[in-house]
Amino acid sequence: VAGLHAACWEEQPTLRRASKRLQRHGGCYALDIRSPAELTKLRPNWDAFMCAFAPLEPELFERPSVAALGERLERWMAFASEQVSPGPADRFATIVHGDFKGMNVFFPPDEAHERSPAMLIDFASTGVGLGMCDVAMLLSHSVAPDTLAGGGQERLLGVYLDALAERGIVGYDRTTATRHFHLATVDYARFVLSRFWGGASAAAFAKRAANPNVCLPNRDVAAAIRFVDRVDASLTALDGGGGTCC
């Protein structure tokens, strides 16, 4: 996906055409294509999720910041969406896949890996955006929590930034990229909470556990709990000066 992003990075003529011919703001969960009614479910869904899962990880859910996660996401969601929805002439703007999950990547056989790169499919939500939105979605949707633990998340972010640099992208420093990652994580969390977590429970997760088209935080208890922890961390980063919501 870094190859896709690098190919159109700040290429204003291409991005202007893309903004007219593709989805204006790339992403299957872009705020401007979601129903306003969906957003009214954010706080109630979080309250229901707390009731269902707090007994499994009491120390996490006893944090005041986690208890208030629904309210915090509601407060930050418009700002996060605006920040990750650049125009064609904005810095760091590029073409994003928009639905970058494990099921939308084809890998070659092991013996052909060196000569055949991975291939992306399903471009229905492709449009102008920040590349880090694709990265944040993939890490939340399709990467196991134990892979992200112990510095794994930072390592994978570094792999992405290195891949951009190898393709000639300069000026995208780690501080800016990390801020974009936090904003993109908050934006994706708004979608997961408001769209999927109304009936979240361990039993509901078990019914769809084997379906790789469902995001991990909506079918795996451990992934959902770790997702909450990461969203709390991203919101805390924004609270601490990563942006101004109002």
Side-chain angles (χ1 to χ4, degrees):
V1 82
L4 170 66
H5 298 162
C8 301
W9 193 271
E10 297 181 348
E11 290 285 344
Q12 292 187 27
T14 301
L15 296 177
R16 281 195 292 269
R17 290 195 297 271
S19 70
K20 296 174 182 178
R21 300 183 62 181
L22 302 177
Q23 188 168 302
R24 171 60 187 87
H25 296 127
C28 59
Y29 56 93
L31 186 58
D32 63 357
I33 66 170
R34 305 308 305 177
S35 166
E38 184 176 281
L39 302 178
T40 66
K41 301 176 183 178
L42 204 156
R43 286 205 207 189
N45 285 3
W46 175 246
D47 292 340
F49 187 92
M50 286 269 293
C51 290
F53 291 96
L56 302 179
E57 192 88 9
E59 289 188 9
L60 173 65
F61 289 93
E62 285 171 3
R63 291 183 201 163
S65 59
V66 171
L69 202 72
E71 181 274 329
R72 296 169 73 204
L73 279 172
E74 194 173 69
R75 178 159 47 90
W76 278 104
M77 64 183 183
F79 177 82
S81 173
E82 187 271 334
Q83 291 291 298
V84 301
S85 303
D90 290 337
R91 284 199 73 192
F92 313 117
T94 188
I95 297 293
V96 297
H97 180 275
D99 195 16
F100 187 49
K101 57 191 177 186
M103 280 196 70
N104 286 337
V105 184
F106 281 4
F107 289 96
D110 289 342
E111 62 274 11
H113 181 70
E114 292 299 325
R115 61 181 183 275
S116 301
M119 180 176 69
L120 301 177
I121 64 168
D122 188 357
F123 294 92
S125 300
T126 297
V128 177
L130 291 182
M132 198 57 77
C133 291
D134 280 339
V135 177
M137 178 180 176
L138 178 72
L139 297 192
S140 296
H141 187 293
S142 304
V143 179
D146 56 347
T147 300
L148 298 174
Q153 175 176 288
E154 290 72 20
R155 180 182 64 81
L156 292 172
L157 291 176
V159 167
Y160 170 73
L161 294 176
D162 288 345
L164 286 180
E166 289 169 3
R167 289 161 174 80
I169 302 304
V170 297
Y172 194 45
D173 60 272
R174 186 69 181 244
T175 299
T176 301
T178 299
R179 177 175 179 271
H180 288 172
F181 177 76
H182 290 314
L183 288 162
T185 297
V186 167
D187 194 46
Y188 186 62
R190 173 265 309 164
F191 172 66
V192 172
L193 263 72
S194 61
R195 177 70 176 85
F196 297 124
W197 276 3
S201 68
F205 283 11
K207 291 180 180 179
R208 47 184 177 261
N211 185 349
N213 199 36
V214 176
C215 67
L216 275 171
N218 199 35
R219 63 184 174 95
D220 181 273
V221 172
I225 289 174
R226 296 285 73 81
F227 181 61
V228 168
D229 192 32
R230 293 199 306 277
V231 173
D232 179 38
S234 288
L235 284 166
T236 298
L238 298 184
D239 287 335
T244 303
C245 67
C246 54

